[in-house]
Amino acid sequence: MINTTITPFHKKLDSPLTKKAITVLQINLGRRCNLACSHCHVEAGPKRTEELSPEVCQQLVELIYKFPQIQIVDLTGGAPEMNYGFKSLVEAARENNKQVIVRSNLTIYFENGFDYLPDFFAKNQVKIVASLPCYLADNVDKMRGDGVFDASIKALQWLNKVGYATQPNLTLDLVYNPQLPNSEKFSLTPDQAKLEQDYKQFLQEKFGIVFNNLFTITNLPVGRTKFHLERKKIYAPYLQFLESSFNSSTVEHLMCRDEISVDYLGNIYDCDFNQMMNLPAKTFDGEILTVKKLLEAGNLDLIHQVQTAAYCYGCTAGSGSSCGGALL
Ligand code: SF4
Ligand code: SF4
C-alpha cells in the first residue's frame, strides 16, 4: 500500500519561503465565466456572480498608477473579460507602460458583446495566455465542454489575423494542462519544449495557426481538481506523488515570490491558489492585507513570508509549474 503521509511543505524547505520585491500584480476579477471546466481551480461558471466592485476597481487603478515597481498586470478570473473593471484595468496599466497579461479562454470572443476583444487586445498590446489543454478536440471538449475546441481554433485564427504571434509586440501563448487522473497512475507534465514543438507542428499543419510559447501547468489539487481527486479517492495519493517529485531547484523561481494576487473584494494573497483556498498573505506582524491598506501604507513590500500548504508540492514537482509554465 502507498504511504499517504504528507510532509508539511514548509518542512521540506531549507529556509522560509520569503518574498522578493513585488513586480507582478495579479488580479482575479471574479468568478463569472462562460465555461465551467472540470479542472477549474476557481470553480468559475456562468451562474457565478462574484466580481470586482467599482470601489475595489478604482483602488486597483490607483495602485497601478502609484507603484512604478509593478511591471506586469496579470488579469485572470473566471473569464476576466466578463467581469467588472476589465477594460479600465487594461487601459490603466497600458497608460502606465506596464505589460498586461490576459488569461483568456478564447471562446468568450463569440459570446454576445465580446467580439471587440481581439482588436482591443491588439490595440493595447495585451499578452494573451490562452488555455488549450490539448491539441486534440475530444480531450479539450471532455475537460471544457462540447464545441470548445472548435471555438478555440476559430479564436486562435482570429488572433493570428489581427497580428498575434506574427507581429513582435503581440504575444500569444498557449497553456497545456494534463487530463485529470482517474486512478493512481500519476504522471508529471510532459517536457515543455518538446510538447511545444508538437503543438506548433499540429496547429500549423492542420489549421494554419501560429503561436509563441506553450506553458505546461500542473493540476494543483485545488477547487474542482481537488473535488475530482476526492471523488476518485486519490487526493492523498496524488499529493504524495507530487511530494515524491519535489525538486528544490524550483523554489527560487516560484511565482509567489514576486507577485501579489488580489481577489474581487480587494484582499491580498501570495498567489491565485492561496486565494481559492482562502489563505491570505500576511505582513511581518501577522496582519492581513487589502489593496486599501497597501495604498495607505504607500508600500507594496509588506509581506515577509509566503503562506504555504500541501498543494505547493504541485508548483515544485519535477520541472516546476507556474502561471508562466515550467520553472526550469
Ligand atoms: S478553467 Fe478558465 S475557462 Fe474554464 S471555467 Fe475556469 S476560469 Fe472558466
Ligand atoms: S501554490 Fe505555488 S505559487 Fe502558491 S504559494 Fe504555493 S508554491 Fe507558491
Side-chain angles (χ1 to χ4, degrees), residues 33 35-37 39-42 44-45 77-79 105 131 144 224:
C33 188
L35 302 180
C37 306
H39 64 291
C40 183
H41 76 274
V42 181
N105 71 30
S131 317
R144 320 200 79 198
R224 287 195 192 119

Side-chain angles (χ1 to χ4, degrees), residues 182 184 227-238:
N182 288 316
E184 292 188 21
F227 298 143
H228 171 90
L229 295 165
E230 284 172 342
R231 255 197 322 273
K232 299 282 173 188
K233 302 196 179 1
I234 51 175
Y235 172 66
Y238 184 63

Side-chain angles (χ1 to χ4, degrees), residues 1-251:
M1 194 172 139
I2 292 181
N3 170 21
T4 51
T5 311
I6 312 295
T7 311
F9 184 77
H10 68 272
K11 291 206 169 153
K12 205 82 171 178
L13 303 174
D14 298 333
S15 54
L17 192 58
T18 49
K19 212 84 171 167
K20 300 175 187 173
I22 300 299
T23 58
V24 180
L25 170 66
Q26 188 175 66
I27 305 168
N28 191 313
L29 282 83
R31 306 283 199 274
R32 296 174 63 196
C33 188
N34 55 318
L35 302 180
C37 306
S38 62
H39 64 291
C40 183
H41 76 274
V42 181
E43 298 169 59
K47 292 190 183 145
R48 302 295 298 260
T49 53
E50 306 93 320
E51 63 181 340
L52 278 185
S53 64
E55 189 192 353
V56 174
C57 180
Q58 188 48 41
Q59 291 168 0
L60 285 162
V61 168
E62 266 179 60
L63 203 74
I64 289 167
Y65 271 87
K66 189 165 183 163
F67 291 99
Q69 77 185 75
I70 298 172
Q71 292 167 14
I72 298 175
V73 175
D74 183 340
L75 303 178
T76 188
E81 304 97 323
M82 279 179 83
N83 288 275
Y84 182 85
F86 173 72
K87 278 176 82 177
S88 315
L89 291 169
V90 171
E91 282 161 0
R94 291 305 297 149
E95 272 163 29
N96 288 276
N97 291 320
K98 322 255 187 223
Q99 181 183 58
V100 178
I101 298 176
V102 172
R103 299 189 180 270
S104 179
N105 71 30
L106 299 171
T107 61
I108 182 71
Y109 317 155
F110 302 104
E111 298 288 333
N112 224 348
F114 292 97
D115 60 352
Y116 76 94
L117 283 168
D119 286 334
F120 175 76
F121 287 153
K123 181 176 152 226
N124 288 287
Q125 301 188 342
V126 165
K127 177 173 164 174
I128 299 175
V129 178
S131 317
L132 193 70
C134 185
Y135 52 76
L136 300 175
D138 280 359
N139 287 346
V140 172
D141 287 2
K142 210 160 88 192
M143 278 170 103
R144 320 200 79 198
D146 286 345
V148 169
F149 182 79
D150 287 348
S152 303
I153 293 297
K154 279 193 201 126
L156 291 171
Q157 288 167 332
W158 191 352
L159 291 172
N160 281 165
K161 211 159 124 197
V162 299
Y164 271 92
T166 54
Q167 290 179 21
N169 291 330
L170 297 182
T171 305
L172 171 59
D173 295 332
L174 299 185
V175 172
Y176 163 88
N177 292 102
Q179 299 281 306
L180 294 180
N182 288 316
S183 70
E184 292 188 21
K185 281 189 197 146
F186 305 121
S187 56
L188 293 176
T189 51
D191 178 72
Q192 185 167 274
K194 164 86 179 62
L195 192 64
E196 180 180 291
Q197 284 318 310
D198 294 347
Y199 260 69
K200 282 192 166 161
Q201 193 179 349
F202 185 85
L203 291 176
Q204 167 80 62
E205 282 175 7
K206 190 112 182 162
F207 304 107
I209 289 170
V210 287
F211 67 95
N212 295 96
N213 308 291
L214 179 77
F215 299 151
T216 56
I217 300 190
T218 301
N219 289 315
L220 259 67
V222 169
R224 287 195 192 119
T225 298
K226 181 173 183 226
F227 298 143
H228 171 90
L229 295 165
E230 284 172 342
R231 255 197 322 273
K232 299 282 173 188
K233 302 196 179 1
I234 51 175
Y235 172 66
Y238 184 63
L239 275 177
Q240 204 272 339
F241 164 74
L242 293 175
E243 183 193 341
S244 70
S245 312
F246 177 74
N247 179 352
S248 58
S249 321
T250 60
V251 174

